[in-house]
Amino acid sequence: MSFGQGGPQWGSGGSGSQPPQWSSQSPDWAALAEASETRNRRRRWMLVGGGALATIAVGAAVAVAVVSADGKEQASNKPASELPASADIPSDTAGTGPSFEATSAPPPLDPKDFISDVKKDTATLAPDILFPGTQLTMGETVYKKGALASTKNCASAAQGTLGPVLTKNDCTRLMRVTYSKDGVAVTVGVAVFDNEAKALRAKTDADKQSVVQSLTGEGVPVFCRSAICRSTTNSYGRYAYFTVAGFTNGKDVTEKDAKVFTTGDDLAEFTFRQIRRRGEAQASAAANG
């Protein structure tokens, strides 16, 4: 092998077959530079390769450290037969919070239940309790209260076909009150039954000729006994209530007489509210008792 001109050359005869021959020519500087560059390249590749191996080694060390830090115990080289069985490993290491028994508030009492049957509707009942005070204010309108009346003979305080309707459905009491304003008067009649079913039947059986008898007195003259008046019929719970409204001077009511219609509607609405309040009061007393 020759390492360039000027270097020793060995023949096929072996190390001592020929004496070394020396050349008197000047060195080939280009060849020497190329050989030096080749050696430098080899050295650089070796350094780069060594650096990569070092990087891999460091990465492996970091990975091992991370694995060791995540677990509570170091990795084990024990065979699978010596590892804990799955039944010994807790399925959930999260702490459980305090447990409470499920509770639910009782359903609120229905006020209508207390005014739908005589067995529950036990509060004191009278015309002045259902219609208290001396006047009634609805919105901006003030009505003056007139006479009050109550009877167990329901048919005696009825006109037209209302008497037989009340008798047929076992009316136990009929209470009446009259309110007036500016020449218009209205009488409200509240018929009491033992249960809601009878009150509903009375409402259904009533027709256009079923009218409560107007109540006079306390400054209100006789009205709606022979003149045409406006009447209404309704029920709530075990109560059926009726209105008859007209002019105190005996004038017939027409569809254009808005004041009469408004007066009758106001008193019908007030009567409904009073019956409902009666149920609410009894429901509240039962809930707090």
Side-chain angles (χ1 to χ4, degrees), residues 3 6 11 18 42 72 76 99 115 133 136 155 164 168 219 225 247 252 257 280 288:
F3 291 97
Q18 283 185 335
R42 290 176 179 173
K72 292 185 178 180
S76 173
S99 59
I115 44 104
L136 169 64
K168 173 186 174 182
R225 294 294 177 89
F247 296 105
D252 289 342
D257 294 318
E280 290 172 347
N288 297 327

Side-chain angles (χ1 to χ4, degrees), residues 257-277:
D257 294 318
K259 289 175 57 178
V260 175
F261 282 76
T262 299
T263 301
D265 291 344
D266 282 350
L267 267 297
E269 174 66 21
F270 178 69
T271 302
F272 165 74
R273 293 180 185 178
Q274 289 298 93
I275 297 172
R276 185 179 62 184
R277 288 191 184 105

Side-chain angles (χ1 to χ4, degrees), residues 51-61:
L53 291 175
T55 301
I56 294 173
V58 171

Side-chain angles (χ1 to χ4, degrees), residues 179-186 221 223 246-251 259-260 263:
Y179 289 86
S180 63
K181 177 180 173 58
D182 298 335
V184 176
V186 56
F223 71 101
F247 296 105
T248 56
N249 62 5
K251 177 185 173 182
K259 289 175 57 178
V260 175
T263 301

Side-chain angles (χ1 to χ4, degrees), residues 110-187:
D110 186 356
K112 191 178 180 183
D113 288 344
F114 289 85
I115 44 104
S116 294
D117 192 284
V118 66
K119 295 178 181 178
K120 284 189 174 183
D121 190 12
T122 58
T124 304
L125 180 62
D128 58 339
I129 292 176
L130 205 57
F131 302 100
T134 59
Q135 63 184 27
L136 169 64
T137 301
M138 295 291 288
E140 298 180 355
T141 305
V142 179
Y143 299 100
K144 181 182 178 181
K145 188 172 79 171
L148 291 169
S150 177
T151 179
K152 293 183 179 180
N153 183 6
C154 299
S156 66
Q159 294 186 128
T161 59
L162 183 58
V165 168
L166 298 179
T167 301
K168 173 186 174 182
N169 292 287
D170 303 322
C171 173
T172 61
R173 188 176 185 182
L174 181 60
M175 297 175 292
R176 289 180 297 164
V177 63
T178 295
Y179 289 86
S180 63
K181 177 180 173 58
D182 298 335
V184 176
V186 56
T187 292

